[in-house]
Structure formats: C-alpha cells, structure tokens
Amino acid sequence: MQFYFARKFFSYRQRKYFPSILIIIDYKDLQLMIRKHCRLNNQNRNKFFFFLLHYLLITDIHCRCFNKCLLISSIVIALLTIGVITTVVVISLVKAETKRKVTTTGRMKTFLFIYIIIYCYGKLVVLRWNTTGITIIGVSGISGNTSNLLFEPWDLAMDWSNAIYVTEIRNNRVQKFSLNSKTGITVAGLANLTGCSSLKCLKSPLGIIVDDNKNLYISDRDNDRVVYWSNGASIGTLYAGTGSTSLTALDEPYGLAHDSSSNKIYIADFFNHRIVHRSSTNSSINVIVAGGNGNGTNGSQLLLPNAIHYDAFMKSLLIVNTGSHNVVRWTLGANNWTLAGGGTTGAGSTPFHLKSPTDVTLDPMGNMYVVDRNNHRIQFFSSGQLNGTTIAGVTGVSGDNTTLFNFPASMILDNQLNLYVVDRYNHRVQKFIRY
C-alpha cells in the first residue's frame, strides 16, 4: 500500500523555484513530520497542526493480493470517512454556534486523527527495488577525465533540484550532473585535474555535502582537510584541518554528515579513529564526539571510521566502522556505541555480517542501508534489525553488468527512495528504481 500527498506550495528555500502551486510528495515525508510531532512540546504543537492542514490526501493502493488490498482499502476508507464526517461536523458547529468558543487547535486535532491513521497503515508498505541498475553517470568499465566520464568516483550528494555531485579520487574534482544529464561540469577542483595543496585544488576528494544554497563541503583527503566551496566559486575555503596538534589536525578525513538544526558538520577522521566537528567558539579546534580513544574494537573505540549519517530523531550518529566490519550507533554525549549492523567478530558474507562497509544512510521510517563494499552489495536492514537483505548486487560477486558492482563506495536515496550507488571501479553511478 502506498499513500501520496499533495501539499500547497510553501516558500521553503529548496522549493522556491518550483513554478507549480502543488508538489507531490511520498507519504514517508508525512511520517517524518509525525515522528517529529511526537517530540514537540505543547507550545509548538499548534504550529504543527496548522502545518498539517496544508495537506490534501490522495490514495493510490498497490498490493499483490487482491483480497488483502480490498480489506485494507475498505478499512482505510471507512476510517477516513469517519474522520472527514467528524471534521465537517466540527466545522459546522463552529460556524453555527458563534457563542461557543471552539479553539483552532481542537479543529486541527481532528485533521491529525486522519493522518495518524495513514501513518499506521503506511507501515504496511513493502519496499522493493529493481535489481537491474541503470547507468545514469559515466560509462561502465571505462575511466576518463572528459565531462561524461568518471575516474574512481567515491561519494555523491543530491541538491533540491535533483542535480547530483560526484567526487572523483583520480581526477581530483567534483562534477555536477543536472537532472537527466550525463554530461557534468566541474564545480570544485581544477579543470586540468591537477591535485595540489592550494585551495584552488583538491587532492583525492572523498566525502561531500551540498547545502540548500548549493554550497559544498568536501573532504580533501590527501590534503588532510575539509574545504568549503561556495556555489559558483573557483576557490575553496579551509573549513577544518587547520593545524598540526591533535585537536586541530585531521588524518585523512573521509565521510561527512550535516546536522541542519545546529549547522554542525561531522567529520570521519579516518586514521585518528574518531568523529569530530568544528568548535562553535574556536573554528580551528575539533571537538571529539565519538572515538578518540585509540583504534580498537571495544565499545569506546572506533577502527577506521569511513562514513557517518546523522539521525536527527535519535540525536545520534550512525558510523561505518570499516576496520571492524560493522555499523555502530553513537548517541551524542555518550561514551560508547551500540551495534546497528554487522557483527563484532570480524568480516563475513552472511545476512548478519559485513565486509569493509563504506557508507550508511536511513530512510524516513528508520530502515538502514549499508554499502557492503567488499561483498559487492547493498544491504537493507529493517528498523532495529541486525539481519540484512541484499537489495542490489550479488554477494561476493564483482562485475560490470547491470546487476553487479565492482567495489561500490557510497549511495544516496532520493525522495521516492530510489537508490543511487557509486560503483567505484566500474567508474559509474547506478540507479535502482523502487517499485
């Protein structure tokens, strides 16, 4: 079962360029709002109810089993009918009984009833992806430095217009590919592909973040720094990795994660076996938020952390602990991690194990996706589960056809939960469509 919603146009920064007054979004966006609502205090709930009123329900049901569909859809329609009737009655009473004070918040709560029903039934959705990938960037098995080729791509990011940014280790650049375009433009690094220590250059760039204004944060690995590259600029600005002491230096930064509420950029400091962010009071100082206790496998240590995902709802970081072949969750302010995926006894190829993973992300429902690099696959972990399911690639088999990877490096999900995977040694980006 899938639910879709049309919402009125808001002047959000990342949507202000849309000409239409209606935007279609997936029901999962609404789940995010409801999850967030549960954390709101009483003072902020009124704003949330007003926000929900801008949503108009449209239902589209897809099930394999007709009888199940009929039953579920009947229940949903019945509940929605009750909700709508209740809403109409409340509004009528408000209009008719002018002397009676019915608060706006009360009317909003009637609407919220409908959306909570939808949220519960949304859990019945089965997430599936086509296992045949579509090459949207690069040419399979061919490396190069022209505008349509990649050379050992590593990470990717997507902006609000669905343009994709790709870091290339061997070409020392970041390429931007507009929606449906296979020809990129260089937006960071030198056009002649030279790697150097000047802020005009990148040298084996890895992790990348794009903000709402299309500014970039880039892990400049071989220069041991993170650079900020404003939209349209021809030179970067040093963001982190400013000195030579343990609190100012980085040792080959890899993945990045962004907390938009605090505007903190979390950095996977690979060979320092820790996660840091820049101090808000002294921009040259790195604040350690996870690890930093030497390399190791106990609960207070990290071992070659490669990538990070910030989970705003859990106030925690999901950390790809590459050297330990697992993914761990580190709650901000805690002194140790809990296991989120993979084992604690080394590498493996079973549904429970990982082998040198390199990236992680979550969907709005809390399901986890992991790039299991040395197993040449993408693993899906249902929320709270430790046994994974392969949704792309074939375990232990590398190749360059449409169903295989050759050491995948990173991935992202778009707002429809289509999957995009950087296939490093095939020099391409593959798209796997959700259906």
Side-chain angles (χ1 to χ4, degrees):
M1 182 183 297
Q2 294 176 316
F3 294 95
Y4 298 88
F5 299 83
R7 69 179 175 186
K8 291 184 179 180
F9 177 72
F10 291 98
S11 58
Y12 292 150
R13 182 177 297 160
Q14 66 174 187
R15 305 186 189 277
K16 63 183 177 182
Y17 297 103
F18 283 90
S20 172
I21 62 169
L22 290 178
I23 302 171
I24 304 300
I25 63 171
D26 201 288
Y27 80 100
K28 299 166 193 65
D29 289 347
L30 187 61
Q31 287 183 319
L32 274 172
M33 289 188 296
I34 292 176
R35 289 173 67 190
K36 183 175 181 180
H37 163 67
C38 295
R39 297 177 180 275
L40 292 177
N41 56 36
N42 291 329
Q43 188 175 9
N44 290 328
R45 282 181 182 168
N46 291 354
K47 296 180 182 178
F48 178 78
F49 293 130
F50 276 110
F51 185 69
L52 276 185
L53 263 190
H54 287 272
Y55 284 76
L56 171 67
L57 174 64
I58 302 173
T59 329
D60 183 17
I61 300 176
H62 301 282
C63 295
R64 290 182 175 180
C65 175
F66 176 79
N67 291 333
K68 183 178 178 181
C69 262
L70 186 61
L71 174 63
I72 294 174
S73 58
S74 299
I75 294 172
V76 172
I77 290 171
L79 291 173
L80 289 178
T81 302
I82 293 171
V84 170
I85 292 173
T86 304
T87 302
V88 172
V89 170
V90 170
I91 292 175
S92 299
L93 289 174
V94 171
K95 290 182 178 179
E97 301 179 29
T98 55
K99 293 182 180 181
R100 182 180 176 182
K101 293 184 180 180
V102 180
T103 66
T104 305
T105 302
R107 298 196 299 272
M108 303 307 170
K109 287 181 178 178
T110 306
F111 283 92
L112 181 62
F113 165 76
I114 299 173
Y115 293 106
I116 290 176
I117 294 170
I118 296 164
Y119 170 76
C120 295
Y121 278 91
K123 288 290 186 180
L124 297 173
V125 174
V126 176
L127 295 173
R128 299 169 298 184
W129 290 263
N130 195 321
T131 56
T132 299
I134 302 169
T135 302
I136 61 168
I137 298 173
V139 178
S140 181
I142 300 176
S143 63
N145 55 25
T146 59
S147 59
N148 68 323
L149 294 177
L150 302 173
F151 198 173
E152 290 191 25
W154 182 265
D155 199 9
L156 75 169
M158 182 179 287
D159 68 20
W160 57 263
S161 69
N162 287 332
I164 293 177
Y165 301 74
V166 183
T167 59
E168 295 181 74
I169 296 175
R170 297 292 291 275
N171 281 333
N172 302 302
R173 67 183 181 183
V174 176
Q175 291 287 92
K176 176 184 176 180
F177 296 85
S178 298
L179 180 64
N180 298 325
S181 174
K182 298 192 74 170
T183 301
I185 58 172
T186 302
V187 293
L190 292 178
N192 65 8
L193 314 177
T194 301
C196 66
S197 60
S198 165
L199 284 170
K200 291 184 178 181
C201 301
L202 298 171
K203 196 171 183 182
S204 299
L206 295 179
I208 185 170
I209 290 172
V210 57
D211 68 17
D212 289 343
N213 292 315
K214 302 184 181 182
N215 304 309
L216 304 176
Y217 296 85
I218 306 163
S219 287
D220 193 8
R221 184 189 68 181
D222 287 358
N223 282 320
D224 298 311
R225 66 191 182 189
V226 174
V227 293
Y228 170 79
W229 213 288
S230 60
N231 185 15
S234 59
I235 186 171
T237 303
L238 185 60
Y239 178 81
T242 59
S244 57
T245 68
S246 62
L247 291 180
T248 59
L250 300 172
D251 194 354
E252 295 200 7
Y254 271 60
L256 303 173
H258 183 210
D259 174 4
S260 58
S261 62
S262 66
N263 207 31
K264 290 177 181 176
I265 303 294
Y266 294 97
I267 305 165
D269 195 2
F270 192 72
F271 282 117
N272 282 325
H273 312 285
R274 63 186 184 180
I275 308 299
V276 301
H277 69 75
R278 194 172 73 170
S279 170
S280 58
T281 57
N282 186 339
S283 61
S284 65
I285 299 296
N286 299 320
V287 177
I288 300 172
V289 294
N293 300 308
N295 67 82
T297 59
N298 70 45
S300 65
Q301 294 177 309
L302 297 174
L303 184 57
L304 303 177
N306 198 310
I308 329 161
H309 178 84
Y310 175 67
D311 185 347
F313 294 104
M314 299 295 290
K315 301 297 182 185
S316 63
L317 298 172
L318 283 171
I319 304 169
V320 177
N321 209 15
T322 302
S324 292
H325 309 286
N326 56 28
V327 177
V328 299
R329 182 183 292 277
W330 199 301
T331 302
L332 296 179
N335 295 317
N336 48 46
W337 49 258
T338 57
L339 187 67
T344 56
T345 58
S349 57
T350 69
F352 179 77
H353 289 92
L354 300 170
K355 192 175 183 180
S356 298
T358 52
D359 202 7
V360 63
T361 193
L362 294 176
D363 66 23
M365 294 165 286
N367 302 311
M368 185 173 71
Y369 304 72
V370 179
V371 176
D372 193 8
R373 180 183 61 186
N374 287 19
N375 279 323
H376 309 287
R377 65 186 183 183
I378 307 300
Q379 291 293 91
F380 170 86
F381 295 84
S382 295
S383 180
Q385 300 300 308
L386 292 176
N387 276 317
T389 300
T390 301
I391 60 173
V394 177
T395 301
V397 180
S398 64
D400 61 1
N401 67 30
T402 56
T403 63
L404 298 176
F405 298 120
N406 191 0
F407 293 94
S410 62
M411 67 183 168
I412 55 173
L413 297 166
D414 66 17
N415 57 9
Q416 297 300 314
L417 297 189
N418 298 311
L419 178 68
Y420 301 77
V421 181
V422 171
D423 192 6
R424 180 179 179 182
Y425 290 119
N426 281 325
H427 314 287
R428 65 186 181 182
V429 175
Q430 296 288 89
K431 179 180 180 179
F432 296 85
I433 296 175
R434 195 192 76 144
Y435 67 98

